Amino acid sequence: MSKKENTIPLQDAERYAARWRGEEGTYNAHRELHAFVIPKVDLLEVLTEQVDAVRGYLGVDDNGVEKLMFVGTKYDAATNTYYDMLPGRSVGDNSVYDMTMPCPNACDPSSPLN
């Protein structure tokens, strides 16, 4: 499978998510994070992978930049669970999409949500 735009290796995504979970208890006490800008191309690519839904994971990369990572999911009616479609898993071999524009700095200063 060829690498799609704005995807990251599963091993990196696992490390970023673990870092977020490990730091979340104190992370927001000293960092400002309001939102993420999500490139249209990333949404379109994850939605073309024959998914039933999309799941977003939070992470922090090796440079301390917040990440919003999307993976496609498949629904299993027998278990009532949406399973991540990740490389090397039986439910799929799709990509992890890396959303790398956190707010701040990629903010709309006039937004009432900011």
Side-chain angles (χ1 to χ4, degrees):
M1 173 169 51
S2 64
K3 183 169 171 26
K4 296 182 179 103
E5 187 173 335
N6 294 329
T7 62
I8 58 175
L10 177 58
Q11 295 82 3
D12 289 349
E14 290 172 347
R15 188 172 65 254
Y16 299 171
R19 185 174 293 125
W20 175 266
R21 287 189 307 273
E23 296 177 358
E24 176 52 22
T26 59
Y27 191 82
N28 287 328
H30 65 275
R31 296 280 303 222
E32 186 177 7
L33 178 64
H34 299 273
F36 290 89
V37 173
I38 303 166
K40 178 180 177 179
V41 65
D42 297 327
L43 292 175
L44 292 174
E45 284 185 353
V46 73
L47 292 172
T48 62
E49 293 190 345
Q50 305 304 314
V51 301
D52 294 325
V54 175
R55 180 172 285 120
Y57 287 97
L58 292 168
V60 178
D61 75 7
D62 299 334
N63 296 313
V65 177
E66 298 87 354
K67 301 290 182 179
L68 179 58
M69 303 171 288
F70 286 136
V71 297
T73 66
K74 279 289 189 191
Y75 181 70
D76 182 340
T79 63
N80 195 33
T81 303
Y82 287 88
Y83 289 97
D84 291 350
M85 298 170 64
L86 295 170
R89 296 195 64 191
S90 61
V91 292
D93 193 23
N94 293 336
S95 300
V96 179
Y97 292 85
D98 175 14
M99 311 312 182
T100 60
M101 295 186 294
C103 169
N105 297 328
C107 297
D108 172 2
S110 65
S111 173
L113 297 177
N114 184 18

